[in-house]
Amino acid sequence: MVHTCVVTGCRNRRIPGTALSFYRFPRDPDRKQRWIAAVNREGWLPKDGSRLCSTHFISGKQVKNPRSPDYVPSVFTSAPLYLESEIKEETAAFEISDKQEAQVEAANALLFLQGQGRSLVDQRPSQEDHDVAQSASSSSTNEDGEESEPVSSDSKGRGGKPAKRSATEPDNYEDMLKTLKKENRALRESVDKMSLSETSFRNDPEKVRFYTGLPNYFVFETVMWLLAPHMNGTKNMVKLSKFQQLLLTLMRLRLDLRNQDLAYRFGVKVGTVTRTVLRMVNVMSTTLVPTAVFWPSRAELRKNLPAALCSTYPDCAVIIDCFRVTLEKPVSEGNLLCQGASAGSNTLKYMIGMAPQGVVTFVSRGSPGSVSDKSLAEGCGFLGKLLPGDVVLADKDLDIGKSVAARGALLKITGCHGGEGSEGSEGVSLTDISPDRLSVRRHVERVVSMVKLRYSMLTGPVEIPFTAAERSSNIFTFDKIVQVACALNNLCISAAPLE
């Protein structure tokens, strides 16, 4: 069968031996209308026999994926221009018989699939029937109306007759179809599993824990529901959905992925990644942190005290630790004036307090790494949280014993290399410590390391965009990141089971 491309100025025809493919217009109304608009013939509508050749697609063939540029034909500049009347006269002659020839072609293909195609080879067709059979063997039509590329001359025998099928060719086409569908389904599942789509996270709790640190998708969805009202009106984030904005930020905190890496994963620019993280951290700092990080009452602490502390420190109110984070660039002098420290510091120091169950109840602002533990504790407001009779546990020696005692509380060091108030001293083996004390030590170590292990960004080094301080509040952006990480930690399972 001879087809002529309907594009104005295109003289391509589908005749035996051509290497071009010719496509029917899609059945989908929206896509079909986009094809008609691309052809750009005023007042013209396609018929059943209208065809579009493969030269009008960038890759030389149409693609079903709507995201592909070849979903709609777009190449129309290379063909010479001819009069519209000439094209109409030429294509009309072929389109008259296209419908009848298509019916003959479909009938021959049906007979062949039913095992009756061999009888057609033995007949001696007329020259016209031979042309139809030759055209049928050179192209086939799928359910979307697309025509495949012609069969090469290697697949034909002498005299234009179809070559015999090989012994390895399957006879059961239904089994082949089932196998292909199964492979297609497996490929789709594999692609969905590797993607960062909302569906893939909803059905995979392990994936949620790995990328976000949250225990399951329900918690992730709850956080997104809480933040959604504050995520509107962002012109710079139009390329990312609310789900993607939250996921990108959590991946940055959880895995400490570089901005360039996240830009590749989400298909955006590095600047978009930086702005997204900064904005989402601000939103979570004002929305999530106040509701998730707070100092509980003494009654609540005693009610949920872990078994490891019930017999040893029933009055334990908090487990504290100090940690440093390295910066890529030293903090400027202007950002340290309120801290009372010298410029050029390349580390920030934080004090973090956790309830015995592993929930973060206090986190200080960042101070230069050279600040002493005593100065940090007295300046960050931690001592004001303590009540007379409270017990403060620490895994390492912190020089705040006297400051804590001044509040009527008691500091206990559970590590092996502690100083005054230490549960052990250098040279004392673990076998000489009672099981209860050893259980307390292991519990404190687990609680202290929990937050930093869950969110790797807290280990540093911190990139320059996150070390700047806000002029209005003089708070480091990384201070907010530490607070947000602690709030997210409180949404996860605690370090010890509650009684």
Side-chain angles (χ1 to χ4, degrees):
M1 179 182 0
V2 179
H3 286 148
T4 300
C5 182
V6 299
V7 174
T8 303
C10 182
R11 297 264 181 173
N12 292 329
R13 300 181 181 179
R14 203 202 73 172
I15 57 177
T18 183
L20 299 176
S21 297
F22 287 74
Y23 302 102
R24 294 179 185 271
F25 278 69
R27 296 179 181 177
D28 179 74
D30 180 64
R31 188 183 179 195
K32 182 179 181 179
Q33 190 59 39
R34 293 174 65 182
W35 280 40
I36 295 174
V39 171
N40 194 22
R41 291 177 58 178
E42 184 177 358
W44 177 85
L45 293 175
K47 301 179 181 178
D48 292 341
S50 299
R51 300 290 188 275
L52 198 71
C53 70
S54 56
T55 60
H56 303 293
F57 297 89
I58 298 174
S59 62
K61 60 181 180 180
Q62 69 155 330
V63 179
K64 296 180 182 179
N65 187 353
R67 297 182 179 180
S68 172
D70 283 334
Y71 185 68
V72 176
S74 58
V75 180
F76 298 98
T77 58
S78 59
L81 298 177
Y82 296 93
L83 293 177
E84 179 72 16
S85 58
E86 295 180 4
I87 300 300
K88 289 184 178 180
E89 293 176 0
E90 186 173 353
T91 57
F94 292 104
E95 290 182 353
I96 294 175
S97 60
D98 277 350
K99 187 173 182 180
Q100 297 177 350
E101 292 179 351
Q103 294 175 350
V104 175
E105 188 177 74
N108 288 337
L110 180 61
L111 290 174
F112 183 77
L113 290 177
Q114 292 176 346
Q116 302 178 13
R118 295 181 180 179
S119 61
L120 298 178
V121 179
D122 298 333
Q123 298 177 1
R124 295 182 179 272
S126 62
Q127 184 63 31
E128 180 180 355
D129 293 338
H130 174 71
D131 293 339
V132 173
Q134 189 174 18
S135 299
S137 65
S138 64
S139 68
S140 58
T141 305
N142 61 19
E143 59 182 9
D144 289 334
E146 304 162 2
E147 297 183 358
S148 62
E149 296 182 11
V151 179
S152 63
S153 58
D154 295 337
S155 64
K156 300 180 181 180
R158 295 181 179 179
K161 296 181 180 180
K164 295 182 179 180
R165 293 184 297 172
S166 63
T168 59
E169 185 177 353
D171 294 327
N172 194 335
Y173 289 95
E174 292 184 359
D175 291 344
M176 178 190 291
L177 182 60
K178 290 180 180 179
T179 302
L180 292 175
K181 286 183 177 180
K182 185 177 180 180
E183 293 178 357
N184 181 270
R185 187 162 49 250
L187 288 173
R188 286 181 180 271
E189 293 176 355
S190 177
V191 171
D192 290 340
K193 190 173 183 179
M194 291 186 295
S195 67
L196 298 175
S197 65
E198 193 169 352
T199 303
S200 66
F201 277 85
R202 182 180 289 109
N203 301 325
D204 194 344
E206 289 293 335
K207 192 172 186 178
V208 175
R209 283 191 287 270
F210 177 79
Y211 281 107
T212 69
L214 300 177
N216 50 56
Y217 185 78
F218 175 77
V219 177
F220 179 92
E221 197 171 33
T222 302
V223 173
M224 186 167 61
W225 174 81
L226 180 65
L227 303 179
H230 307 277
M231 298 168 62
N232 297 324
T234 54
K235 296 182 179 180
N236 295 330
M237 314 305 174
V238 292
K239 293 183 179 180
L240 297 173
S241 64
K242 294 180 180 180
F243 168 83
Q244 290 175 321
Q245 292 179 46
L246 179 58
L247 176 61
L248 184 150
T249 304
L250 294 183
M251 288 175 62
R252 186 68 175 86
L253 300 180
R254 165 71 168 166
L255 304 176
D256 197 21
L257 299 177
R258 301 292 91 177
N259 291 346
Q260 184 66 67
D261 186 354
L262 292 169
Y264 286 137
R265 292 173 185 257
F266 287 87
V268 295
K269 296 181 179 179
V270 176
T272 302
V273 173
T274 304
R275 289 191 298 269
T276 300
V277 174
L278 292 176
R279 183 177 180 278
M280 289 301 300
V281 166
N282 287 331
V283 171
M284 286 190 283
S285 177
T286 57
T287 306
L288 186 63
V289 172
T291 60
V293 180
F294 58 91
W295 193 277
S297 65
R298 177 175 288 180
E300 292 174 340
L301 289 172
R302 291 181 177 179
K303 179 181 178 181
N304 299 317
L305 195 67
L309 300 175
C310 285
S311 59
T312 53
Y313 299 110
D315 294 327
C316 177
V318 64
I319 300 172
I320 63 171
D321 185 35
C322 290
F323 67 92
R324 291 178 173 84
V325 182
T326 305
L327 308 178
E328 282 189 348
K329 182 180 179 180
V331 181
S332 63
E333 183 177 0
N335 292 337
L336 293 176
L337 290 178
C338 65
Q339 307 286 351
S342 60
S345 175
N346 64 340
T347 59
L348 288 176
K349 187 175 182 179
Y350 292 89
M351 175 172 285
I352 183 172
M354 291 156 283
Q357 297 81 11
V359 178
V360 178
T361 58
F362 177 84
V363 57
S364 71
R365 291 175 53 182
S367 297
S370 58
V371 171
S372 65
D373 298 335
K374 181 179 179 181
S375 299
L376 178 59
E378 293 177 350
C380 68
F382 166 73
L383 297 177
K385 302 285 185 181
L386 299 178
L387 298 176
D390 284 345
V391 174
V392 180
L393 297 182
D395 182 48
K396 56 188 177 182
D397 186 15
L398 300 178
D399 186 23
I400 61 173
K402 294 181 180 180
S403 300
V404 172
R407 304 292 299 183
L410 178 65
L411 174 67
K412 286 292 182 178
I413 309 300
T414 62
C416 295
H417 304 283
E420 182 181 356
S422 173
E423 290 297 326
S425 60
E426 190 172 359
V428 179
S429 64
L430 295 179
T431 56
D432 297 333
I433 303 176
S434 65
D436 290 342
R437 303 292 183 185
L438 184 60
S439 178
V440 170
R441 176 179 299 173
R442 290 174 177 171
H443 178 77
V444 172
E445 290 174 352
R446 183 167 61 250
V447 171
V448 168
S449 62
M450 183 174 52
V451 179
K452 294 180 68 175
L453 289 177
R454 183 166 284 151
Y455 292 98
S456 301
M457 192 174 181
L458 302 189
T459 61
V462 183
E463 293 180 277
I464 295 176
F466 305 114
T467 58
E470 293 184 357
R471 295 181 179 179
S472 57
S473 59
N474 205 19
I475 298 177
F476 289 107
T477 301
F478 194 73
D479 289 354
K480 295 183 179 181
I481 292 176
V482 174
Q483 295 173 359
V484 169
C486 293
L488 293 172
N489 173 81
N490 291 352
L491 301 179
C492 303
I493 301 174
S494 61
L498 303 180
E499 291 185 345

